[in-house]
Amino acid sequence: MSSTELAALVCCDLGAIVRGRSVPSDTLSGDGGSSVGWVPANLALTPIGTLAEPNPFGSTGDLRLKPDFDAHVRVELGYEEIGVGDGFERIGGRERSPLELVLCDIVETDGSAWECCPRSFLRAALSELEATLGLQTVASFEHEFQLLLDAPPALAFSLEAQRRAEPFPSLVFDALRRAGVAPERFMPEYASHQFEIPVEPAAGLAAADRAVVLREVVREVARALGTRASFSPLLDPSEAGNGVHIHLSLLDADGYNPLYDAARPAGLSELGARFAAGVLEHAAALSALTAPSPVSAARLRPHRWSAGAVCLAQQNREALLRVPPLVTSAGAGAPATQLRLEYRGADASANPYLALGAIVRAGLDGVRRELPAPALLDRDPALLGEVDAARFGVGALPASLAASLDALAFNETAREWLSPLLYEAYVAVKRAELDAAGGVELDKLCKRYAAIY
């Protein structure tokens, strides 16, 4: 039986939930006629399914979802019998419709930018960076996630963990390639049924687009195999959580990376050090945008291999901001092309456009103010004495979503990155989540958010 194929015109909302409306695929048109109606209050929907009340939109207003056909994805998983790995349900011979979506800007009915559109927020941050410093951002989002399988997990990082998960690894890698996400590796990770997929870097807006698409493609492949993939920041309080490592470098008009200086510590230039200092200066407020679920803060603690210290490091995975090591072996590429900053304090409850845009603006603030270069943490934070632990910000990230929202509220510079309307809407959504989480034990909250993300 044939059926009409649908393409979803979608946006990623303030809770990192992809929402939208679908149209017949054969009606998609790049001439501007494919936009669909949208409602301002949709941005006040929370990840837990409720509408934040109060919110600044109410029942009034009309918007459009304007498709960006540079962010058009279509992935067909085919008809073959799939699902033979441990814990997977066999699904044979059932026709599956293609996953087709187009990422959209949220615009006014006259086509002009809407001040609360997350893609427009990132676009404005990138434009400000280019106008101020003449630089462009290249970034990638490195996601961790877990398959929700009943089978006992294999050992961490083991080949067995990957082979037990087949055909998921092969299918998802192929699907991501066809979706234009450009995956680099597939890696078994530390927690139960946990995996990580780094992707190639892309220009700023495209990098955030890839983050949205990767999550949806991974979920689609898992569904096709009769299971679910969860990007929740923390599935089990006793295990490692799922982070999103945001890798960022800058390029000038000649394609050179001005973050690099071979003569300086870690190869990080004076400009790069000031950029890093800005990110660290605003770390508490940034967490409200980069790790914004009620379970996020429980992951960002010392000794969880996430971001236990608000500092810069070179070969230390407890630092919020890290300079990945430069590979000097043959074929690795010039050091200037490798050097980047890795922000380790994000997770998939964050809208990737808001997260990357806020990191860019924080770094730009550090450059403008000529902040001094931060010290490099060169040892395990657990080995630091009390004075050095305070100096390197061990355990200094907000201990809860409420605390990170307070940090954003009290940081005038960071608060002004968002328009007043966007700030009010964002806080309304997050306060509604906090109200719903009040009094709920962490393990139960983790189960709730496992189902959401």
Side-chain angles (χ1 to χ4, degrees):
M1 179 183 295
S2 62
S3 60
T4 299
E5 292 183 357
L6 296 177
L9 306 185
V10 299
C11 59
C12 185
D13 73 6
L14 301 183
I17 304 300
V18 173
R19 305 185 194 266
R21 294 175 176 173
S22 294
V23 300
S25 294
D26 56 13
T27 66
L28 285 178
S29 169
D31 62 4
S34 293
S35 68
V36 294
W38 203 237
V39 178
N42 286 347
L43 208 67
L45 290 168
T46 70
I48 56 177
T50 60
L51 186 69
E53 294 288 3
N55 71 72
F57 307 120
S59 61
T60 62
D62 282 288
L63 300 165
R64 305 291 291 179
L65 292 181
K66 179 183 177 182
D68 178 352
F69 285 96
D70 288 335
H72 180 193
V73 171
R74 179 184 168 91
V75 176
E76 295 186 59
L77 294 181
Y79 306 104
E80 68 272 17
E81 194 171 82
I82 56 178
V84 295
D86 268 5
F88 289 123
E89 173 187 342
R90 180 179 292 274
I91 302 177
R94 187 173 72 191
E95 180 178 350
R96 295 188 63 83
S97 62
L99 171 67
E100 186 169 11
L101 60 87
V102 187
L103 297 176
C104 299
D105 289 337
I106 310 174
V107 299
E108 302 281 1
T109 54
D110 64 1
S112 61
W114 186 46
E115 65 176 288
C116 295
C117 172
R119 287 181 103 233
S120 295
F121 175 86
L122 175 55
R123 197 179 280 116
L126 299 175
S127 296
E128 185 178 350
L129 178 72
E130 186 167 13
T132 305
L133 300 178
L135 300 176
Q136 295 183 332
T137 301
V138 175
S140 68
F141 289 69
E142 189 176 83
H143 285 80
E144 295 170 330
F145 60 92
Q146 287 168 271
L147 295 177
L148 303 184
L149 302 174
D150 293 328
L155 294 175
F157 308 111
S158 68
L159 176 60
E160 183 181 7
Q162 178 168 329
R163 296 305 300 167
R164 280 194 197 179
E166 283 291 352
F168 175 81
S170 300
L171 286 172
V172 81
F173 209 91
D174 180 63
L176 289 169
R177 278 181 164 176
R178 285 184 279 139
V181 174
E184 293 181 318
R185 293 176 295 281
F186 184 94
M187 303 185 296
E189 270 289 341
Y190 185 58
S192 300
H193 306 297
Q194 185 184 40
F195 303 97
E196 182 174 349
I197 303 180
V199 302
E200 293 178 9
L205 189 67
D209 286 343
R210 284 182 177 182
V212 176
V213 172
L214 180 142
R215 298 173 195 178
E216 295 309 313
V217 170
V218 168
R219 291 179 179 125
E220 178 72 11
V221 174
R223 275 194 297 269
L225 292 169
T227 188
R228 290 189 61 248
S230 180
F231 291 81
S232 178
L234 195 62
L235 255 64
D236 185 338
S238 68
E239 290 192 338
N242 297 300
V244 177
H245 307 149
I246 302 177
H247 294 255
L248 179 147
S249 59
L250 304 175
L251 294 178
D252 64 17
D254 297 321
Y256 183 77
N257 180 6
L259 295 183
Y260 179 70
D261 184 343
R264 290 178 57 88
L268 192 62
S269 69
E270 182 178 59
L271 181 144
R274 288 173 175 169
F275 191 98
V279 174
L280 298 177
E281 171 95 353
H282 297 292
L286 277 174
S287 68
L289 298 168
T290 63
S293 83
V295 300
S296 293
R299 187 184 74 88
L300 299 175
R301 293 178 180 171
H303 316 306
R304 295 190 67 99
W305 287 45
S306 55
V310 180
C311 65
L312 179 67
Q314 186 171 17
Q315 296 185 10
N316 193 318
R317 288 167 179 81
E318 286 282 334
L320 177 66
L321 204 58
R322 190 172 82 102
V323 181
L326 302 179
V327 180
T328 57
S329 57
T337 65
Q338 297 181 50
L339 193 131
R340 61 196 185 278
L341 292 170
E342 178 189 6
Y343 180 87
R344 297 177 58 81
D347 62 52
S349 67
N351 179 296
Y353 305 102
L354 299 185
L356 182 57
I359 291 169
V360 167
R361 283 204 157 108
L364 182 57
D365 185 59
V367 174
R368 282 175 172 149
R369 293 164 55 198
E370 299 184 350
L371 295 180
L376 280 164
L377 177 64
D378 60 357
R379 70 202 72 176
D380 186 338
L383 303 177
L384 298 176
E386 185 176 343
V387 173
D388 279 339
R391 176 190 177 204
F392 286 105
V394 176
L397 282 175
S400 66
L401 174 57
S404 67
L405 290 173
D406 288 344
L408 179 61
F410 291 122
N411 185 324
E412 184 176 351
T413 298
R415 193 176 65 248
E416 290 181 354
W417 297 336
L418 289 75
S419 72
L421 187 63
L422 178 55
Y423 175 79
E424 185 179 355
Y426 188 81
V427 171
V429 168
K430 292 300 154 186
R431 293 291 180 193
E433 281 189 79
L434 280 174
D435 289 345
V440 180
E441 295 178 355
L442 180 59
D443 61 339
K444 292 182 179 178
L445 270 182
C446 287
K447 289 182 174 63
R448 179 184 296 177
Y449 277 83
I452 294 170
Y453 292 108

